[in-house]
Structures are given as structure tokens and as C-alpha cells.
Amino acid sequence: MKELFDRLFGKDRHDIAIEGLFLQGKAMVGKESATVIGTCEHAAIDAALALKISGAILNAVREGPRPILFIADTQGQALTRHDELLGLNGYFAHIARAVDLARRSGHRLITLINGEAVSGGFLAFGMLADKICALPGSEVRVMDLRAMSRVTKIELATLEQLAKESPVFAPGVENFWRMGAIHEIWSDKDSWPERLGMAFASLADERASIGFERGGRMLASPIAQCVANT
Amino acid sequence: MKQHDHLASNRLARLKRAAGISSNRLVATEHAVQLLGAVIEPGDRVCIEGNNQKQADFLARCIAKTDPSRVTGLHLVQSVLALPEHIDLIERGQVERIDFSFSGPQASRLALLVENKKIAIGAIHTYLELFARYFVDLTPRVALIAAQAADREGNLYTGPNTEDTPAIVEATAFKGGIVIAQVNEIVDRLPRVDIPADWVNFYIKAPTPHYIEPLFTRDPALITEIQVLMGMIAIKGLYAEYGITRLNHGIGFDTAAIELLLPTYAADLGLKGKICTHWALNPHPTLIPAIESGFVKSVHCFGSEVGMERYTSARPDIFFVGADGSMRSNRAFSQAAGHYACDLFIGSTLQIDSHGNSSTATLDRIAGFGGAPNMGADARGRRHASPAWLRAGREAQLGAGIPRGKKLVVQIVETFREHMQPTFVEHLDAWELAKTADMELPPVMIYGDDLTHIITEEGIANLLLCRTQEEREQAIRGVAGYTPFGMSRDARMVENLRDRGIIRRAEDLGIRKRDATRDLLAARNIKDLVRISGGLYDPPAQFRNW
Amino acid sequence: MEKFTLTLKSVPAKSRRTTLCGVVSSGNLEVLVEPIGMEDACEIEVSTSAHGFRDIWEAVLNDFAKEHESGGLRLSINDAGATPAVVSLRLSQAFEIASGDAP
Amino acid sequence: MSYFEASARTRIRGLVDAGTFEEFCPPEMRQTSPHLARLNAPLSFDDGVAVGRARLSGHAILIAAQEGRFNGGSVGEVHGAKIRGLLDRALAERPSAVLLLIDSGGVRLHEANAGLIAISEIMRALLSVQAAGIPVFALVGGSCGAFGGMGIVTRLCNEVIMSEQGRLSLSGPEVIETVKGVEEFDSRDRALVWRVTGGKLRRAQGDATRLVEDSIPAFRNAAAELMERYRVHSLPEKSLTDLLADQERLACRNMQFSNARDGQEVWDATLSDSTHVPELSSEEFNQRLLER
């Protein structure tokens, strides 16, 4: 992780503690100090980890408006009866509310996908930021095609064929980019500190219209407008 | 001097071989396989108790672990081949021949074994028919049975799920055979004795309670508007018309709908006390509302139903309940009751042909019969009269100068099953199955000449009133709806049959289709049944949504 | 999905309201009824997941058009494998709502 | 009339004042899912959700109802956009409340990426509606419950009205069983499923704010009563203090039930008498909750 932090922020420009699957600390983005909150090692997010995330966000809000960078690496929600009993959905909703409070309190929010971002874990942690960027080699998905084929009873070959034409259901950072859910895909050649600085410079939630422009979601924006305005 | 007690001395020899591992009839759980190896001889007729409800599953697992070189050449004579272990035993080469009634979940594996000549089928029987043969030519040498509890003497309590046990034990114990019981628990005092200890040779505490399938539980939430409509047609067009008081129902959702319409629709028609008072029926949870509303006077059961134990105990006026307060069922007696003492049988099927023959067999499954053919057949030995029975006889113009009656045998089916499979066909799959499985008879559940009425969403066909084979066929086609079989009807003839009241549509009976909604059901889900039972019904976990 | 459209002679409908009846779930269907500019015929558009049953559909729909005054209505059907019994029932319900017989 | 059994449109009809429902993007617009069409799967003219405006006890509301029987009430591109558009509309129209009749397994797998994104947009739009002082109610009592992303959306709502039959959670028991094995979660043990996800558990935890009988009028009464309350005490914006209190509450729950795997343990700790809980009527249950 230290190499990643060095590469992202520059040597000696970060102070981030890793506790198990959770990480938090501070780092310099350009001339600004940013709060860094994240998960690592493809964390399965359970109630305890969710509480750490929301707690860190609320702390950041208490400290006053400075940019927040989420580093997401999650295989999705933890799959246990215990977590369902606790109402894991409520813990995730609490994270979402904390993110929202941060935004309203003037924090700029960016998510960096480092590794995996899957389904409910991604929804709770990362997807609600103002901008989402993916590092090279990252994977984003709801469900892999094999499992999807089992559940929908549509043949795997059919899904694989359609996945070539449409970004709408198959895993992949590119697909989510075309759908407007990922704003930037970074490459190894980029200067990451530079891209990070630029990313924080201008922010707004225009995912539906970007998705439309990129041809991934042609209906989401017009239909929402039809319901909202007619 | 001629010897007259071969069987008894053979039994003694078997008991002697097992002497080392039993103490006062009790055998330790871990010695069960050894016991079976000691008492079973090559070529024995063996009955592993089990039917569509309870199973001697522990003993079935044990016999499938015996030494195939010693326990071999067996002839299985039992109600069902439902457990994987039953089929395992055949695949291990320990069984030469089987006589049975029903193979349910193992139907496909059995069909494969028959096709590969791994097993010979003596015959597929009805339950009552097989019990009868236990007392003639298929008496078991060894019976492996299941009971709820044993006391320290070896007396058995079989409780609400007594089912087949008395018939099996009676045949085996009194003809020099060996009876081995698996029990869920061993207690000092039994609530009551269902099987006395001196009919039992060994008892073993099973590691887990014997399996019972909740086969008769139908969730009212899954009953469709079409089934409600058919239920209304049955009640108004048949039950009310004939004044059916004594009857048996099948296990489908169609008949569950009828049960749930009794306290509502039938009561509104003023039929309380006039129909459906006496039953040969398992304790169907869907009968609870009719019982609670005072519709039902008596129910004798083939078996029990999981979760209905407290309810049946608390309704001793309705059910057959022992002095201990728990119900006793008895499949053999209830089958006899269904055959001789009921005026009507109504049930569902998978296929019906132009003669009215019906079958639940499909090409790759040897399923068998269970009890339906005994219920769904005219009891020609019957000699007592009832208005419904006499009217059916009159309509069929039976008897040469002498009044005769007839049992009402009714199939209630939708014209199409799910996935657009037509129920009405020109040719039953049973014929193909008979050919591939080398059977002498195609496995027909109910013969056309026993069938008196067909109810579909299109109405009722009364076959009693048909005078020629052609009329009969057109009457069947006339209620077969949009199936290819139905669409090839002679429209004029069908209209003519309708004018004569042989075919009656919903509107002919004064039933408006739009009234057929689920709101008419006395209970709309399992929770309603629990509530109506006053909390006495305790449904199995898979049927709950609370 | 198998799709086809039939135009069937029928007595003009008395009143014509747009309505949606039923739900697309396994063994069930939805029917959307709308007025169209015809008088003595109804147009029925079928989209069904069960392939190869067009004959049966035509028989069911012909009977419907004969038994109901449905001229001037368009019925659009999304079907997930309903049996003819369910189809007939749902069509009648939709018709009753659309033509004002029922609330 | 049973809420559980009713279709989405029947629920709307039964909840709102007679004749007041006006639908947006109605079925005759035929805004069906192009993605289901491409997979040759059955379509629905409303893509499984009806949205519109109406009055409830005279209060102006916006309302969305998911149809659980169409593809499990799942959220695809069009379905999600309709709900999100409704929430956007609330900002301009300022109804007394937005009612979400949730009956959904979450994201529609046939268009999974679009569905996931749509839910994130619904979450964000919902938070904006609340920030504008308009309360959002979730009603959960259908056969699909509120799972996946819609389980999260439900918990963002100001009020969650549930029946005992309703379920509210994240991952479905079938998914957990498939991935982790039957020992972790036996999805066929329905009684257990309800003890872990059902309305009575969620009410005891406070995740549901009302527990009502399974009837449309019961849901309607609860919604009307709550709306009256919001008329008197308008919705304050969530502050840092509020969220810190929520954080504390959830942390306590983690501590108190650190090993719990069965709802009975929660009832033991929250009810005056925790015997025979599944058999209680909602009224009896609410009484026991009050007595504690």
C-alpha cells in the first residue's frame, strides 16, 4: 500500500494508517491536505467495517471542510447471517448519509477504485462521491457472467456475446465508464498526483447525462426528466 | 413325522444369531447394520416401511450398508421406493425383485434400472392391494418399521403417523417373520401402545427422528382464481346437486380450493350440514376453516400431517383420537373407508384421454399409484345405499331390473398445466412407458369406465348421462377448452350435449366468472390457517412467512 | 419472444378507457387496453414468451372478440406463458374495466 | 384487503384518496426496457414500477410502487430512472411526502450495471429531497421485501412502515446459502428467514418505525398519521450531531448483539415478553414493545 500512496501523493506527503482491511489518514493533494479513507485487500464490508468508514467520514466532517479521498477495494458486502440480522443495509445507508453530510458541509469527494468494487460494497462506499476514478487493473461488477447466467437462466454464451455489444450488464471498468458511473480511467503512464489534483478541481453529479453522451445509458436521463418535468 | 413349524424355527434361528447384540429386544444404534446382517437371509422378502409420508429412513440407510455378498437376492415388498437408499440397495445388486405402490422422487432412477434390466418389477400396486398381498402371497420375512417411541419392554407408540405400520406388523409377526423398529425415543411409559411388544423382535433408537414429508400441506397463497372458479363449479354443480356428504379429496390445489370455499361460498349457498360432513382424508391444514365453521363432522386419516398434531388432538369430536389424547391414523382402514364408505372421490391428474382414462405417468418416470385408484373406483362390492350413490346409478341407467348405485369419481383439472402442457391428449404417455418398461398394463390411475365427471375451467362433463361412446368422447372434448384435443370437438354435438345438461358451463350453473376471486377463500395464506386454528396448527418452517 | 398482431371484427365498444390489467410474471400476463380510431374491429397485439402456440392464441382471441363488444379498442398483451384460461380471464377483466362495467 | 397479495397498482389505488392518482410516464407510453428486449425476456409496459402524484387524506403526495411480481421488482435503467425522476420532481413540486412502495430484490441482473448506478442516483436524489425538508416514507410489505440496493434506499427513508410479512435486509438468504453454505443460512427455513429479516425483527431494532397488519388500510392509516405528524413538526435537516448519535446507536447494536444470529435474541432484549413472538398480532407486538 505504501507504494501506492507514494505513487498517488508523492513520497513523505502522506500519513495513512492501515488497520486490517481499513485505512485512514491524511495526504497532500497539490497544496491541500486531504482526508483519506479506504478499504483494502478486496475487503468484504461487514457491519464493523461499515461503522469504521462512517465514523471516519463523520470525524472528517467535524474537522472542517477539506477534500476527502475514498480508496475503494471491496468484493462487496459481507455475506453472513449475523450481518443481515444486524441490518447491514442500515449501516450502508448510514455511510451514505455521512457522505451526503460531508458534501453538504463543503467537502469535495472523490473515489479511487484500487482493485475491486463490487455491488453493495461499492454502492455503500464510493459510488456516492462526486467523482469516481479507476486505477489501472481495477475491476467493477455486480455479478460475474457465470453466476448471472445461473440466476437469470440465460445461456452464458448469449450473455458473453451480448456483453461485447452492450455495457449494461457485464463486469468491467470500461462498461461502467460508458454508463457514466466512472468518470476517469487512469493509466500507468499518467502522473497520478496531477490527475488527482485536476479531479478535485471541478466536481458535479452528471452521471446520467454523461452516460447518455457516452452511449451507455440512453434512457435514464430522458425518462427521469419525463417523470420530473411533465 | 411331518414338520409344521418351519417358519417358527427359522425365526428362532435368526433370533439366536442376533442374541449377542440385543438385550431384551433393545439393540444399540451402532449395532443396527450388524443386526440386519444377522437376521436377514438371502432371498428374503423384506419390507422397509415408508409411504408418501413417514419413512423408516434410518433402517433404510443401515440395510444399504450391509454386506452385499450376504444380504442378497432380496425381494422388496413395500409401499414406496422414495429414498435414495432404496435405489442404492438395488444398484448394489442386493435386490432381485420389487413389488411396490409408488416411487415418487426416485421415479427416474428406477426407470433407468428397469430399462437396464437391473431389477424385475413384480407389479405396481395400489396401497390396499399391496397390503392385501401381504396376507396372501407377499408376506414379509423381515419388516423394518418406524415408530415414534418404544418403552423398555419394546412396546411401540406410533402416534398420529401410525399409517401402514399395523398392516405390515400384523402380516410379518403372525407368519413367523422378524419385526425391527427404529424409534425416535425410548421412554419409561408410552402415551399408549399401538404395537404390543410381543409382535416386535428388536427396537433401536435412531440417531435422528424418522423423516415425515408434509405432503398434504397446500399453501392457500398459491391457489389461483382459476382454481377458485373450478372449486365453485364443483360445489354448486356437483356437491350440492348430488348432496355429497361422505367423500375423499386428492392432494392438489384444486381440491384445497374446494376445502377453503366450504365456509364461504358453500355456506352462502346454504349447504352447511348438507354436504361434506364425513371424510376419509388426511388432516389437511386447508380443512381447518371448514372444521372450525362446523361444516365437518368426522374425518378418518390415512396418516397425519406435520404440524397438525396439536390441532387434531384438540378436536377429538372430529378426528379419531386415543385415550392418551393423540390421533391415530391407519392407512389400510382409511383406504377401505375411502373405497366403500365414500360417495365421491375427486382428484387431479396429469393426462386424460378420449375414453376418460387418466394417468400420472410420464415417459421417463415410473411413479406408481399410491391410493388414488382405490378411492377413484366404483366399489362393486358395496351394498348400502345413499341418495348420491343411487342417483349416480340412475343417471348411468345401471342394473337390469334392480336398482344399482355408483360411486362418483371426479377428475378436476385445468385444460392446460404449466408450460402449456395440455391435460387432454389423444394418447396417454402411459402406453409408451408400458412398452419401454416392459409392463403388462399401461399404468392408468383411474379407468375411464370408473370416471363419472370431469371438471375444468370450461365446466362440468357428466359422463353418467352419456349413452354412447361417441357422446362420451364429445363430452370430454367439450370441456377440454383450447387444447388441440378440445379444439377438434364436434361443435354442434357439444352444443347438443350442453342442451341436455351433460355439459354445464359456469354460466349454466349461475356462476359469474368475475366472482371467482381469491377473496372467496376462507384462508388466503398459511398464517390465516394458524389464526383460524386458534394457534393449534404449527406449520413446518418451509411454509411460514413470518 | 413471439410477436403477432390480429385485427378482429367486433361490435363497437360502448365506452373506451385506457387501462392496464394484470402483471407479467410466470404463467401470467398484462393487458393494456386503449381506444383506437376504428369502429367495428379490435386490434390485438401479442408478445409472448411461449413459442409455437399461435393457433391457440387465435382461437382464444377470436372467441374474445366474438363475446365482447370490443370494436375500437387496441389490446396489447405482454405474456409470460399464461394458459388460455388465464388469458381469457385477464382479457375479460381488462375489458370490464376499460368499457366501464366495473370500477 | 391484503397488502402482501395486492399488485403495485392495487396498492396505490387502495392507499390514496379515490380518483386522485395521476401517473407519470404511464404504461401507454410503452417505456419498456431495451435491455430485457435484447435478451428476449418478457417486457412490461411500466417496467415494473408505477409513479405519479396523488392525495392521501388530503395531503399532496408523490408515490412510486414497485411490482414485485415482475422480475422480482428489480431495478433496471428505466425502472430506476422513473423513481429517481419522481424524487427530482419532489424538489420542484414540494409534496407533503414521497411514498416509496418498495417490493424489490434489488438490482435487475439483466441490466445490472444500469441498475446499480440507478440505485446510487436514487439514493442521492432521496437525500436531496430530505435536505429540502420533504419526508420520504418506505412501505415494505410485499412478497419480495426490500433487498439489495433497495434495502439501503429503504433505510435512508425517514419512516419505514412494515408488516410482519415484509422483509428488509441486504443479501438474500438464498445468495448467502449459495456462497457460504446451508449452515450459514438455511434459506428453506422460512421461519428463520423471517426472524432474521422480517418486519417484527426490524421493528424491534427500530429500523422499521411502524409495524402494521397486512392490510392496505393499515398501511394507509399509518402513512396518514405520520404525514400529520410531519405537518406539525417539519423535517429538520440531519446535522452532524444527529449522525453521530446514529453512529453511536449502530455501534451499540454491534456490541449488544456481537454474536447474534437469530432474531429471538433481539426480541429477548427488546420486548417485555419475548415468547411466541411470531404468533402475535402487530397490535400485541407493538404493545410488548411499548411495555419495555
Side-chain angles (χ1 to χ4, degrees):
Chain A
M1 288 305 283
K2 182 164 183 308
E3 285 146 44
L4 172 72
F5 299 148
D6 286 350
R7 171 100 204 254
L8 265 177
F9 310 110
K11 273 199 168 60
D12 306 321
R13 285 168 58 83
H14 55 84
D15 176 18
I16 301 166
I18 299 176
E19 312 150 18
L21 303 172
F22 178 68
L23 56 92
Q24 65 173 333
K26 298 274 185 298
M28 294 303 290
V29 175
K31 290 188 184 121
E32 276 184 299
S33 166
T35 302
V36 179
I37 300 168
T39 58
C40 53
E41 292 176 43
H42 309 322
I45 303 182
D46 61 8
L49 182 52
L51 273 180
K52 283 188 188 168
I53 295 168
S54 53
I57 299 170
L58 294 177
N59 264 335
V61 172
R62 191 156 35 193
E63 287 169 5
R66 73 156 66 104
I68 301 178
L69 179 68
F70 299 118
I71 301 182
D73 182 7
T74 165
Q75 55 177 285
Q77 65 267 30
L79 294 171
T80 76
R81 196 165 102 199
H82 170 67
D83 285 292
E84 292 305 324
L85 178 78
L86 289 176
L88 190 54
N89 54 315
Y91 290 73
F92 284 13
H94 177 62
I95 295 177
R97 228 179 255 123
V99 172
D100 192 59
L101 177 71
R103 182 184 298 111
R104 282 175 213 293
S105 313
H107 296 257
R108 281 165 294 150
L109 309 164
I110 286 189
T111 293
L112 204 53
I113 301 171
N114 168 48
E116 275 189 315
V118 180
S119 194
F122 186 30
L123 201 52
F125 175 55
M127 249 186 139
L128 295 188
D130 301 313
K131 187 167 275 185
I132 300 170
C133 309
L135 290 177
S138 295
E139 166 78 336
V140 182
R141 67 172 181 275
V142 175
M143 194 183 257
D144 70 62
L145 288 189
R146 209 170 289 277
M148 199 176 283
S149 160
R150 256 199 322 272
V151 179
T152 59
K153 299 186 176 70
I154 297 168
E155 288 209 16
L156 184 60
T158 311
L159 290 178
E160 281 169 344
Q161 184 56 40
L162 280 167
K164 287 180 198 154
E165 304 157 19
S166 161
V168 83
F169 62 88
V173 169
E174 297 286 337
N175 286 337
F176 277 79
W177 181 84
R178 278 185 64 193
M179 307 285 293
I182 287 178
H183 298 72
E184 300 176 7
I185 303 174
W186 296 3
S187 86
D188 276 318
K189 284 174 238 144
D190 296 336
S191 159
W192 292 358
E194 212 169 278
R195 290 209 71 156
L196 195 56
M198 273 159 49
F200 270 116
S202 69
L203 294 168
D205 184 18
E206 295 157 342
R207 279 173 288 186
S209 53
I210 300 175
F212 183 77
E213 281 161 28
R214 291 175 184 170
R217 284 188 300 154
M218 303 305 290
L219 288 174
S221 199
I223 290 208
Q225 280 173 26
C226 161
V227 172
N229 302 324
T230 52
Chain B
M1 179 91 172
K2 195 165 169 351
Q3 195 188 338
H4 291 287
D5 58 354
H6 275 116
L7 291 175
S9 53
N10 173 262
R11 167 154 66 186
L12 271 179
R14 293 174 189 240
L15 293 176
K16 203 176 280 174
R17 289 202 296 272
I21 48 172
S22 82
S23 124
N24 196 21
R25 297 195 169 95
L26 175 66
V27 174
T29 310
E30 61 272 22
H31 292 146
V33 178
Q34 199 187 338
L35 172 74
L36 297 182
V39 301
I40 299 175
E41 295 180 357
D44 270 354
R45 269 195 301 272
V46 174
C47 168
I48 309 170
E49 180 176 22
N51 47 58
N52 52 13
Q53 301 188 268
K54 83 166 168 180
Q55 292 290 344
D57 52 348
F58 169 63
L59 292 176
R61 283 198 295 279
C62 289
I63 195 173
K65 284 186 202 143
T66 54
D67 178 357
S69 66
R70 267 208 26 79
V71 178
T72 184
L74 303 180
H75 179 182
L76 295 184
V77 289
Q78 60 195 45
S79 293
V80 303
L81 294 160
L83 301 177
E85 288 80 8
H86 295 149
I87 308 294
D88 292 348
L89 195 64
I90 301 172
E91 282 180 345
R92 286 157 56 99
Q94 293 175 268
V95 183
E96 261 176 19
R97 192 175 173 81
I98 51 173
D99 279 276
F100 70 108
S101 294
F102 188 74
S103 68
Q106 300 300 324
S108 310
R109 271 178 85 192
L110 183 63
L112 205 63
L113 286 168
V114 170
E115 205 177 311
N116 296 332
K117 310 269 183 249
K118 290 273 173 61
I119 186 75
I121 293 182
I124 307 177
H125 306 71
T126 73
Y127 286 140
L128 196 56
E129 192 181 7
L130 185 66
F131 297 156
R133 290 193 70 187
Y134 285 168
F135 294 94
V136 179
D137 63 337
L138 292 181
T139 313
R141 289 299 292 139
V142 179
L144 311 180
I145 62 163
Q148 169 62 36
D151 65 13
R152 317 248 169 227
E153 313 281 289
N155 293 300
L156 302 182
Y157 170 64
T158 46
N161 285 87
T162 295
E163 305 183 358
D164 305 14
T165 314
I168 299 167
V169 174
E170 177 115 9
T172 311
F174 289 88
K175 203 74 194 306
I178 301 276
V179 174
I180 303 172
Q182 72 168 74
V183 300
N184 298 346
E185 52 182 346
I186 298 170
V187 297
D188 290 326
R189 240 188 109 70
L190 293 175
R192 69 169 190 244
V193 175
D194 285 302
I195 305 288
D198 62 349
W199 302 0
V200 179
N201 301 101
F202 303 100
Y203 64 100
I204 307 168
K205 184 176 177 327
T208 50
H210 61 251
Y211 179 73
I212 305 178
E213 172 80 18
L215 191 71
F216 295 84
T217 302
R218 291 288 168 262
D219 185 346
L222 301 177
I223 292 173
T224 65
E225 296 144 298
I226 306 289
Q227 286 158 346
V228 171
L229 174 66
M230 295 198 300
M232 292 163 76
I233 292 174
I235 288 171
K236 197 167 182 190
L238 201 73
Y239 291 24
E241 199 86 358
Y242 289 85
I244 304 294
T245 55
R246 298 185 254 146
L247 72 165
N248 167 256
H249 271 186
I251 63 170
F253 283 97
D254 322 82
T255 42
I258 298 176
E259 290 153 23
L260 292 171
L261 288 171
L262 292 177
T264 54
Y265 181 69
D268 288 347
L269 293 174
L271 295 171
K272 187 169 154 185
K274 296 185 180 143
I275 62 167
C276 301
T277 50
H278 294 76
W279 300 70
L281 194 78
N282 273 339
H284 290 186
T286 42
L287 198 61
I288 291 171
I291 294 172
E292 293 307 303
S293 66
F295 233 94
V296 175
K297 295 202 168 74
S298 175
V299 181
H300 185 261
C301 303
F302 309 86
S304 185
E305 182 64 5
V306 183
M308 286 290 280
E309 296 82 2
R310 277 198 304 140
Y311 181 76
T312 50
S313 288
R315 295 291 177 270
D317 286 347
I318 307 293
F319 294 97
F320 288 72
V321 172
D324 63 304
S326 66
M327 191 184 86
R328 176 158 150 135
S329 58
N330 186 312
R331 190 170 314 279
F333 289 161
S334 211
Q335 290 284 342
H339 185 63
Y340 279 108
C342 288
D343 288 337
L344 172 136
F345 162 78
I346 183 167
S348 197
T349 189
L350 295 185
Q351 289 187 332
I352 299 177
D353 71 10
S354 61
H355 298 274
N357 295 309
S358 65
S359 168
T360 55
T362 53
L363 286 182
D364 47 355
R365 302 174 75 248
I366 300 183
F369 303 119
N374 290 124
M375 314 289 157
D378 190 27
R380 293 180 60 89
R382 176 170 168 177
R383 289 295 181 273
H384 72 279
S386 70
W389 185 75
L390 283 174
R391 171 166 170 181
R394 273 199 307 278
E395 288 186 347
Q397 298 188 346
L398 291 178
I402 288 178
R404 292 279 299 275
K406 192 170 171 69
K407 180 190 232 172
L408 295 165
V409 175
V410 185
Q411 292 285 14
I412 182 166
V413 293
E414 287 179 56
T415 54
F416 285 89
R417 306 196 307 276
E418 55 185 6
H419 308 305
M420 290 292 281
Q421 292 290 313
T423 305
F424 293 89
V425 294
E426 302 290 346
H427 198 72
L428 297 176
D429 283 355
W431 288 100
E432 262 69 38
L433 180 64
K435 218 178 292 165
T436 54
D438 212 11
M439 293 154 79
E440 286 167 285
L441 298 170
V444 166
M445 178 78 80
I446 288 173
Y447 288 124
D449 54 1
D450 278 320
L451 188 65
T452 64
H453 296 77
I454 299 174
I455 296 177
T456 72
E457 73 275 13
E458 299 280 330
I460 304 186
N462 181 345
L463 306 181
L464 292 167
L465 296 171
C466 296
R467 292 296 163 253
T468 64
Q469 175 53 36
E470 199 194 355
E471 278 185 10
R472 206 179 148 80
E473 181 174 330
Q474 289 302 327
I476 298 173
R477 291 189 195 274
V479 292
Y482 295 96
T483 58
F485 179 95
M487 288 204 282
S488 69
R489 63 181 161 255
D490 178 333
R492 266 228 333 247
M493 200 161 161
V494 166
E495 275 317 300
N496 180 264
L497 292 172
R498 192 174 167 189
D499 292 342
R500 287 164 54 198
I502 292 176
I503 290 177
R504 300 173 83 189
R505 308 277 181 217
E507 51 269 35
D508 303 342
L509 293 163
I511 295 170
R512 283 189 309 180
K513 283 188 178 168
R514 84 163 81 132
D515 294 340
T517 68
R518 288 177 37 81
D519 296 338
L520 278 179
L521 298 172
R524 305 214 297 191
N525 49 52
I526 295 276
K527 180 113 202 223
D528 283 349
L529 295 173
V530 174
R531 191 175 42 74
I532 296 169
S533 77
L536 292 166
Y537 172 45
D538 182 21
Q542 69 262 40
F543 290 102
R544 302 174 80 116
N545 62 354
W546 66 89
Chain C
M1 303 298 289
E2 192 171 309
K3 292 177 185 174
F4 51 87
T5 304
L6 304 174
T7 304
L8 302 168
K9 288 267 165 232
S10 190
V11 178
K14 289 205 185 76
S15 70
R16 297 159 201 196
R17 222 184 305 163
T18 299
T19 188
L20 181 72
C21 191
V23 174
V24 186
S25 62
S26 179
N28 228 313
L29 72 157
E30 70 179 4
V31 186
L32 175 62
V33 187
E34 299 159 287
I36 43 163
M38 281 197 287
E39 267 309 302
D40 55 354
C42 67
E43 186 181 288
I44 307 183
E45 204 179 282
V46 178
S47 171
T48 172
S49 64
H51 291 222
F53 297 104
R54 184 161 175 174
D55 296 354
I56 294 175
W57 274 103
E58 289 192 6
V60 174
L61 298 175
N62 271 312
D63 284 352
F64 169 81
K66 233 179 279 168
E67 289 159 19
H68 299 80
E69 298 177 354
S70 51
L73 296 178
R74 176 163 69 187
L75 283 74
S76 310
I77 295 172
N78 282 319
D79 170 57
T83 59
V86 175
V87 174
S88 303
L89 185 69
R90 211 61 78 219
L91 285 172
S92 299
Q93 286 168 339
F95 175 81
E96 280 173 21
I97 299 169
S99 65
D101 274 19
Chain D
M1 161 134 223
S2 162
Y3 185 95
F4 185 86
E5 275 193 31
S7 69
R9 286 169 189 280
T10 308
R11 285 174 192 160
I12 293 179
R13 236 189 342 266
L15 281 168
V16 307
D17 301 346
T20 61
F21 180 60
E22 179 195 339
E23 185 165 1
F24 308 133
C25 198
E28 55 269 29
M29 282 180 67
R30 293 175 164 72
Q31 286 292 356
T32 56
S33 164
H35 314 301
L36 287 177
R38 207 166 297 140
L39 289 163
N40 212 14
L43 307 177
S44 173
F45 292 121
D46 61 13
D47 203 38
V49 65
V51 299
R53 88 176 129 212
R55 290 192 168 269
L56 198 160
S57 287
H59 300 282
I61 58 163
L62 292 180
I63 185 167
Q66 295 182 297
E67 178 50 68
R69 282 180 286 172
F70 177 67
N71 278 313
S74 58
V75 179
E77 180 177 359
V78 173
H79 182 120
K82 285 170 81 173
I83 300 175
R84 182 251 169 132
L86 187 79
L87 291 162
D88 290 348
R89 185 180 190 111
L91 291 175
E93 204 163 304
R94 301 202 59 87
S96 301
V98 180
L99 269 59
L100 303 180
L101 281 51
I102 291 172
D103 195 355
S104 175
V107 168
R108 184 182 298 161
L109 291 180
H110 309 75
E111 40 193 306
N113 302 349
L116 190 72
I117 299 165
I119 289 177
S120 77
E121 288 169 349
I122 290 170
M123 288 165 66
R124 201 154 159 180
L126 197 159
L127 289 160
S128 300
V129 169
Q130 292 172 325
I134 302 159
V136 184
F137 299 176
L139 282 64
V140 182
S143 58
C144 294
F147 280 89
M150 291 314 287
I152 304 176
V153 168
T154 301
R155 285 285 281 118
L156 284 176
C157 294
N158 303 87
E159 303 290 342
V160 177
I161 306 171
M162 287 184 83
S163 64
E164 163 173 63
Q165 286 82 352
R167 287 174 296 158
L168 170 58
S169 216
L170 191 59
S171 305
E174 291 81 7
V175 175
I176 297 177
E177 182 180 326
T178 307
V179 178
K180 290 292 176 70
V182 69
E183 306 75 27
E184 181 60 35
F185 207 158
D186 181 355
S187 66
R188 288 192 33 139
D189 185 343
R190 308 301 284 165
L192 173 68
V193 169
W194 259 264
R195 287 201 305 277
V196 173
T197 64
K200 278 183 179 156
L201 171 72
R202 296 305 181 214
R203 179 67 195 106
Q205 288 171 317
D207 287 5
T209 54
R210 284 281 189 286
L211 182 80
V212 300
E213 283 298 306
D214 171 38
S215 87
I216 296 179
F219 274 92
R220 177 190 156 92
N221 292 343
E225 198 186 296
L226 287 167
M227 233 159 348
E228 192 53 36
R229 227 177 50 180
Y230 281 95
R231 196 180 60 81
V232 180
H233 310 280
S234 64
L235 178 68
E237 197 170 346
K238 281 261 185 189
S239 67
L240 177 61
T241 320
D242 297 330
L243 287 194
L244 286 171
D246 290 347
Q247 175 85 12
E248 186 55 32
R249 253 195 304 279
L250 290 175
C252 283
R253 186 186 294 183
N254 267 26
M255 298 257 282
Q256 190 181 2
F257 301 107
S258 57
N259 292 309
R261 298 179 76 225
D262 194 314
Q264 186 64 47
E265 298 168 59
V266 176
W267 293 329
D268 289 342
T270 49
L271 301 180
S272 61
D273 171 3
S274 60
T275 55
H276 307 297
V277 173
E279 279 74 47
L280 301 178
S281 71
S282 58
E283 199 180 330
E284 292 162 337
F285 179 90
N286 289 331
Q287 188 58 37
R288 287 194 191 178
L289 199 60
L290 211 66
E291 282 163 7
R292 179 71 179 211

